Amino acid sequence: MTEVTTGATVRIHYTGTLEDGTVFDSSEGRDPLEFTVGSGMIIPGLDKALPGMAVGEQKKVTIAPEEAYGPRQDEALLEVPRSDIPAEIPLEVGLQLQMTGQQGQPIPVTVTEMSDESVTLDANHALAGQTLIFDFEIVSVG
């Protein structure tokens, strides 16, 4: 039986939940997730749980924020003048927008607060600061 090793291409079916049981992502009804183990394509905590597993094996892992999307960072909250956002964008709390970083890379942000004068944007990943729980099964190892 082929074991998962660093550098192997694996396919997994998974369900990711928060500590309160809320499902934040799942491969249910979709093709399995395919990636190369140890390549940085998935969060570190899940990547580290795979080596030594075999096809058909299932596992449940709890991953601390430091091994997932990191802690929430206050410096990722940006307050910008309302006038800096185009008037045709219908702003509301929870709206996801995209900013451009210094090297031209897209940075997703979420509107968290707004007034007539300013808008607060949160550039933290939506799962930053969260402990994540993954139930997964190895579908194939290549």
Side-chain angles (χ1 to χ4, degrees), residues 53-117:
M53 294 182 69
V55 172
E57 192 172 345
Q58 297 178 358
K59 191 182 268 190
K60 181 176 186 172
V61 293
T62 299
I63 302 170
E66 295 73 24
E67 290 288 308
Y69 294 99
R72 289 194 57 75
Q73 298 179 10
D74 290 340
E75 57 270 19
L77 295 175
L78 312 166
E79 188 171 336
V80 298
R82 173 64 181 95
S83 59
D84 284 1
I85 297 177
E88 66 270 13
I89 296 177
L91 288 178
E92 61 182 46
V93 172
L95 178 68
Q96 297 217 332
L97 300 171
Q98 185 169 293
M99 295 177 63
T100 304
Q102 291 178 346
Q103 279 77 41
Q105 75 279 19
I107 301 171
V109 296
T110 303
V111 175
T112 57
E113 293 179 37
M114 46 191 256
S115 69
D116 290 339
E117 295 81 36

